[in-house]
Amino acid sequence: MSDLTTTQSAGSETPSRSAAAAHHPAPKEAVRMNKTRKGRRRSIGAVFVAPYAVFMLAFGVMPALYAIYLSVTDVDGGFTPTANFSKVIDDFRFFSAARHVAFFLGIWLAALLVLVVFLAIVVHAIRARWLSASARLFFYLPGALAGASSVMLWLFVLDPVASPAGPLLRAMGMDSFTNVIQPSHLPLIFAIIAFWTGAGGWIIVMYGALNNISTEIMEAARIDGANPVQVAIHIQLPLLRKWIAYMAVLSLAAGTQLFVEPSLLSQASNAVVPNDYSLNQLAYQYAFDLNDFNGSAAISVLLLIVALVLSAVFVTKGGLFETEDV
């Protein structure tokens, strides 16, 4: 009887063990399956990345390498590593244009890093009904305008005679379009135009990042007595660090390319705004007015170096490529 019971027990355990083995493959098999899954994910990722990589090489890396080549050679192709850089730096217009771009970038990046993050946190906190998926499209509408179209709209806004903000402009002592677009006002004007164009899209990006913060973390902070300001400072801002760095890098890359806005204002103001206001405009002058593509390339390379250095600072401080979970 005892033997029968033992036999039945062993028989009853055998199917369960077989089922467990079916659900839990051997370690070697599990490793092989895991590698197969990772290989498939890499293959799918490569398919999606390939078109971007091709265009980046064709219209990003190759032109940059060609610009570097032009910047260290002369018209005849001779190697002159510093001559073109010395020439453009000694140009009396260079530091003036660099100062204009620096002032514009300082105002614009400060506005993005402070106002966009603040507005995203406020919008996330109130959770209004008008923030439905379809309604968020309105955040993107200003950014849907091309740069030239945006500036044409702002030409109307900046004219005290026709602008809805005309009374405010006249109260500030600016009663004509020429008074509004004085060179000393331009960094702020360009920063306002850029903010109006791009801030809505970044608010949506930050809003999505805030939605990805664990609700358990937020609830635990509230249970511990944290008020909304403390939650924003000690939880939301640290968890938005990578997204803020991402915004700063892309905005910096776009801001150093300031060209369309001052060019159109220069034409509209009959040269009240100079046609060499920004470094990109100065590079254009070198290339197409002076037929000096080597000098133009030198300005482009200097811009590239500054943008890369500042981007590296944002990436490092923001931990953009850190992979550990927070």
Side-chain angles (χ1 to χ4, degrees):
M1 190 71 177
S2 175
D3 294 339
L4 179 60
T5 303
T6 304
T7 303
Q8 289 177 346
S9 299
S12 63
E13 289 176 3
T14 301
S16 61
R17 288 176 181 174
S18 301
H23 289 291
H24 301 284
K28 290 184 179 180
E29 181 69 14
V31 171
R32 188 185 66 80
M33 293 173 62
N34 191 32
K35 288 182 177 180
T36 302
R37 292 193 198 99
K38 288 183 178 179
R40 289 174 181 170
R41 286 199 293 266
R42 291 194 187 99
S43 300
I44 294 172
V47 170
F48 283 101
V49 170
Y52 171 80
V54 170
F55 281 102
M56 183 183 69
L57 287 172
F59 301 105
V61 176
M62 296 305 295
L65 293 176
Y66 184 58
I68 293 172
Y69 165 76
L70 287 178
S71 69
V72 296
T73 57
D74 57 21
V75 177
D76 299 322
F79 182 64
T80 55
T82 60
N84 292 311
F85 295 100
S86 299
K87 175 178 57 182
V88 297
I89 291 175
D90 289 339
D91 191 322
F92 71 95
R93 299 170 294 178
F94 179 82
F95 284 105
S96 177
R99 185 172 60 253
H100 295 156
V101 174
F103 287 164
F104 159 69
L105 280 175
I107 298 171
W108 184 34
L109 290 179
L112 284 176
L113 296 178
V114 176
L115 294 179
V116 164
V117 176
F118 172 76
L119 290 173
I121 291 175
V122 170
V123 167
H124 184 265
I126 60 178
R127 295 182 179 274
R129 290 184 179 179
W130 49 269
L131 282 172
S132 62
S134 58
R136 292 173 200 166
L137 173 65
F138 291 102
F139 280 101
Y140 286 105
L141 289 181
L145 292 174
S149 302
S150 177
V151 176
M152 295 301 293
L153 172 63
W154 277 90
L155 289 177
F156 169 76
V157 174
L158 295 173
D159 188 349
V161 176
S163 172
L168 176 61
L169 294 173
R170 288 190 293 271
M172 297 171 63
M174 295 178 286
D175 55 0
S176 68
F177 180 68
T178 302
N179 290 335
V180 174
I181 61 168
Q182 288 298 311
S184 60
H185 302 162
L186 292 179
L188 179 60
I189 290 174
F190 292 147
I192 292 173
I193 294 173
F195 185 85
W196 176 80
T197 303
W202 284 118
I203 290 173
I204 293 297
V205 171
M206 295 296 168
Y207 182 84
L210 288 168
N211 281 338
N212 285 330
I213 296 176
S214 171
T215 55
E216 288 80 4
I217 296 176
M218 302 291 287
E219 289 299 326
R222 295 189 181 100
I223 292 172
D224 288 340
N227 58 41
V229 175
Q230 292 172 325
V231 169
I233 294 175
H234 298 291
I235 295 178
Q236 292 175 316
L237 284 179
L239 295 179
L240 284 177
R241 188 166 60 108
K242 292 184 179 182
W243 294 100
I244 294 172
Y246 176 67
M247 177 178 67
V249 169
L250 292 189
S251 301
L252 175 67
T256 54
Q257 308 304 312
L258 183 65
F259 180 81
V260 173
E261 293 85 352
S263 296
L264 289 179
L265 280 183
S266 178
Q267 297 176 21
S269 64
N270 294 322
V272 171
V273 178
N275 59 6
D276 52 12
Y277 179 85
S278 71
L279 288 172
N280 255 8
Q281 286 181 291
L282 183 59
Y284 183 90
Q285 296 290 323
Y286 266 89
F288 299 105
D289 287 353
L290 304 177
N291 200 30
D292 184 355
F293 288 92
N294 302 91
S296 177
I299 296 175
S300 301
V301 171
L302 289 172
L303 269 175
L304 176 63
I305 293 172
V306 172
L308 287 176
V309 170
L310 292 178
S311 296
V313 172
F314 285 125
V315 168
T316 302
K317 297 296 183 182
L320 190 58
F321 296 122
E322 292 177 0
T323 57
E324 68 270 16
D325 294 330
V326 293

